[in-house]
Amino acid sequence: MKKLSIISTVLASLSLPLFAGSAFTDSEDAIEYRKASFQLIRHNMMDLGDMIRGNVPYDAARVLKRANALAAVTTLPWEGFTVPGADKASGDAKAEIWANLQDFNSRADKLQQDARQLQTAAKGTDQAAVKAAFAAFAKNCKACHDKYKAD
């Protein structure tokens, strides 16, 4: 019975990529998904930014919570760009994304890496390290918006 359970689990996990394309009902659904994902990134980023700029008191536990969230949510929006038709439907995404998909994906990977570095810094007690990691994260975020997000 244990063998059957293990085999079933392995087969189910191998088939997950086959179902990933069906996560969206259409291109508009994919756009809404990526917009919602970016809002989660924005929410966590803005709260961190307020603490780092001194607009609100620095709370190490909250910084770690936001950094952990960013490490998770920065993995989300990218599949919303891969659905057929998502490049032609309405949204803030510029057409340059699909014309420069390799660069866009590279920036997405870098943002995720930056979020993990921010998470690592937030686990420590050095606020300067958190500030530097946040600055790198924010810089990469802005550069991508400047190139690929419509005003």
Side-chain angles (χ1 to χ4, degrees):
M1 188 68 170
K2 187 176 181 180
K3 236 185 218 187
L4 180 60
S5 177
I6 292 171
I7 291 170
S8 296
T9 302
V10 169
L11 289 175
S13 67
L14 291 175
S15 66
L16 284 175
L18 298 174
F19 298 111
S22 66
F24 306 109
T25 56
D26 56 28
S27 59
E28 289 294 329
D29 189 33
I31 291 169
E32 289 304 312
Y33 171 84
R34 70 185 189 222
K35 283 181 176 181
S37 299
F38 284 126
Q39 284 300 317
L40 290 171
I41 293 169
R42 181 187 162 281
H43 170 78
N44 287 284
M45 186 177 173
M46 296 305 287
D47 190 37
L48 269 172
D50 283 343
M51 285 186 278
I52 288 170
R53 286 186 294 278
N55 296 339
V56 296
Y58 188 92
D59 178 345
R62 195 164 100 199
V63 167
L64 180 58
K65 180 179 180 177
R66 297 297 180 218
N68 285 339
L70 284 170
V73 299
T74 55
T75 66
L76 298 177
W78 318 114
E79 71 179 301
F81 290 93
T82 63
V83 175
D87 59 333
K88 296 177 181 75
S90 65
D92 295 337
K94 289 182 179 179
E96 286 87 344
I97 290 172
W98 293 274
N100 302 302
L101 198 55
Q102 185 174 2
D103 177 62
F104 180 75
N105 288 333
S106 174
R107 289 170 186 260
D109 291 342
K110 177 73 170 105
L111 186 70
Q112 292 169 64
Q113 179 184 3
D114 290 345
R116 288 188 303 270
Q117 290 174 347
L118 176 59
Q119 181 184 40
T120 298
K123 290 177 182 177
T125 59
D126 184 357
Q127 287 186 28
V130 172
K131 185 176 184 176
F134 180 80
F137 178 87
K139 180 180 177 184
N140 185 16
C141 198
K142 183 182 179 334
C144 194
H145 276 217
D146 288 348
K147 187 166 185 174
Y148 294 117
K149 185 176 185 275
D151 293 331

